[in-house]
């Protein structure tokens, strides 16, 4: 490789924003992207490919990097094909992340799940807690009270959190409703079970800055609809801009009165 081509390939401005949406990505190229100072990286639906030794080399080199420059990381529906292990790749990528502002993990389909272990939450919260503002975890499993406590304790600047179809336990829902940041602006609880209507009141009375709230497919909706709408009207009338909830998938605040009427 000529010195000119090498110098161009090492120019960080060319690597700052990399979109590999639905691409087949050699694991060695992903290493190059990260090492060359990428800040905005999308691997949405990407397939990471390589031989066993390639993934081992990726793991070793990314760990040795210590600190990358990523601030936006999209890993939704990212998969590993062949001889790699997605869990190991995920930990390897996160291992050198210390300044993420937005992180998306998980799966789009409710028929597919991503299991998160404590070491992943350690990397997310302890390494990126001060900078993280948006955390999306659709169809992720393994989210318990301990991991939620890490989010609450270390991610003080979160304004958007998505927990759709994560099947949070009753204890986990209780913890979220009693401890989540009062500065949260966007929340998604699609497919969750609030178990008791007073949980929802505690959440809404805390997070009075909410702009977007997603409650579609909430399991206890029919039984608790009047409670939900009443609390929303009482606590969020000055902040809420968008609501996703049955019986209509989407409503604006100006349509909220109609929903209230329909539920009487």
């Amino acid at each position: 490789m000529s010195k000119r081509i090498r110098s161009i390939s090492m120019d960080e401005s060319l690597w700052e924003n990399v979109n590999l949406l639905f691409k087949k990505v050699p694991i060695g190229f992903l290493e190059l992207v990260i090492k060359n100072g990428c800040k905005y990286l999308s691997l949405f639906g990407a397939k990471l490919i390589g031989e066993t030794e390639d993934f081992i080399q990726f793991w070793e080199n990314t760990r040795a990097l210590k600190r990358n420059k990523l601030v936006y990381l999209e890993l939704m529906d990212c998969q590993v094909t062949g001889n790699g292990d997605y869990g190991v790749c995920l930990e390897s990528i996160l291992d050198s992340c210390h300044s993420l502002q937005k992180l998306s993990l998980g799966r789009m389909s409710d028929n597919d799940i991503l299991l998160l272990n404590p070491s992943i939450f350690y990397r997310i919260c302890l390494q990126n807690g001060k900078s993280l503002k948006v955390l999306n975890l659709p169809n992720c499993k393994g989210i318990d009270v301990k991991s939620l406590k890490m989010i609450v304790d270390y991610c003080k600047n979160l304004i958007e959190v998505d927990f759709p179809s994560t099947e949070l336990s009753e204890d986990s829902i209780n913890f979220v409703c009693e401890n989540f940041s009062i500065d949260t602006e966007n929340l998604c609880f699609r497919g969750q079970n609030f178990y008791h209507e007073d949980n929802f009141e505690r959440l809404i009375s805390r997070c009075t800055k909410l702009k977007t709230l997603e409650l579609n497919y909430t399991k206890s909706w029919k039984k608790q609809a009047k409670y939900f709408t009443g609390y929303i009207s009482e606590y969020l009338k000055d902040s809420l801009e968008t609501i996703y909830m049955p019986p209509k998938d989407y409503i604006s605040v100006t349509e909220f009165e109609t929903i209230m009427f329909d539920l009487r």
Side-chain angles (χ1 to χ4, degrees), residues 197-209:
E197 56 92 5
D198 56 334
N199 278 338
F200 187 76
E201 181 182 19
R202 285 199 294 271
L203 175 68
I204 296 304
S205 61
R206 277 184 61 81
C207 303
T208 55
K209 298 179 182 179

Side-chain angles (χ1 to χ4, degrees), residues 31 51-63:
E31 178 188 332
E51 300 298 327
T52 302
E53 56 268 24
D54 297 325
F55 284 99
I56 293 174
Q57 192 68 48
F58 175 78
W59 179 77
E60 293 175 348
N61 291 345
T62 50
R63 286 178 65 88

Side-chain angles (χ1 to χ4, degrees), residues 84-241:
D85 182 295
Y86 181 72
V88 174
C89 283
L90 176 58
E91 291 188 28
S92 299
I93 295 170
L94 292 175
D95 215 40
S96 57
C97 291
H98 291 266
S99 53
L100 289 176
Q101 296 179 19
K102 180 175 181 178
L103 174 63
S104 297
L105 302 174
R107 301 288 183 250
M108 294 298 292
S109 172
D110 291 345
N111 297 320
D112 195 7
I113 66 169
L114 175 63
L115 182 62
L116 302 181
N117 60 44
S119 65
I120 291 175
F121 279 104
Y122 176 91
R123 288 166 171 81
I124 293 173
C125 301
L126 274 71
Q127 293 181 192
N128 298 276
K130 291 182 179 180
S131 58
L132 197 62
K133 295 181 179 180
V134 178
L135 180 60
N136 298 327
L137 302 171
N139 290 298
C140 287
K141 301 301 184 284
I143 305 174
D144 55 14
V145 172
K146 186 176 180 179
S147 54
L148 289 168
K149 190 174 188 305
M150 276 199 280
I151 293 174
V152 169
D153 289 347
Y154 293 99
C155 303
K156 299 293 188 181
N157 295 311
L158 275 179
I159 59 173
E160 178 178 329
V161 187
D162 286 1
F163 289 126
S165 303
T166 51
E167 297 181 2
L168 296 180
S169 68
E170 183 171 357
D171 287 341
S172 295
I173 286 289
N174 289 341
F175 182 84
V176 169
C177 293
E178 293 173 358
N179 296 279
F180 238 62
S181 172
I182 60 174
D183 294 320
T184 306
E185 295 181 2
N186 302 306
L187 270 177
C188 176
F189 284 101
R190 176 172 57 84
Q192 295 294 349
N193 187 343
F194 279 93
Y195 297 98
H196 307 290
E197 56 92 5
D198 56 334
N199 278 338
F200 187 76
E201 181 182 19
R202 285 199 294 271
L203 175 68
I204 296 304
S205 61
R206 277 184 61 81
C207 303
T208 55
K209 298 179 182 179
L210 281 175
K211 294 180 179 179
T212 300
L213 180 61
E214 295 190 43
L215 296 172
N216 34 343
Y217 304 105
T218 302
K219 295 178 181 178
S220 52
W221 173 261
K222 288 185 179 179
K223 181 180 178 181
Q224 301 177 4
K226 290 186 178 180
Y227 292 117
F228 282 14
T229 52
Y231 295 142
I232 291 170
S233 180
E234 178 179 356
Y235 295 111
L236 302 180
K237 61 182 180 180
D238 295 326
S239 66
L240 202 62
E241 297 173 356

Side-chain angles (χ1 to χ4, degrees), residues 73-89:
L73 182 57
E74 172 63 79
L75 293 169
M76 199 74 67
D77 280 343
C78 180
Q79 299 179 18
V80 169
T81 60
N83 301 308
D85 182 295
Y86 181 72
V88 174
C89 283

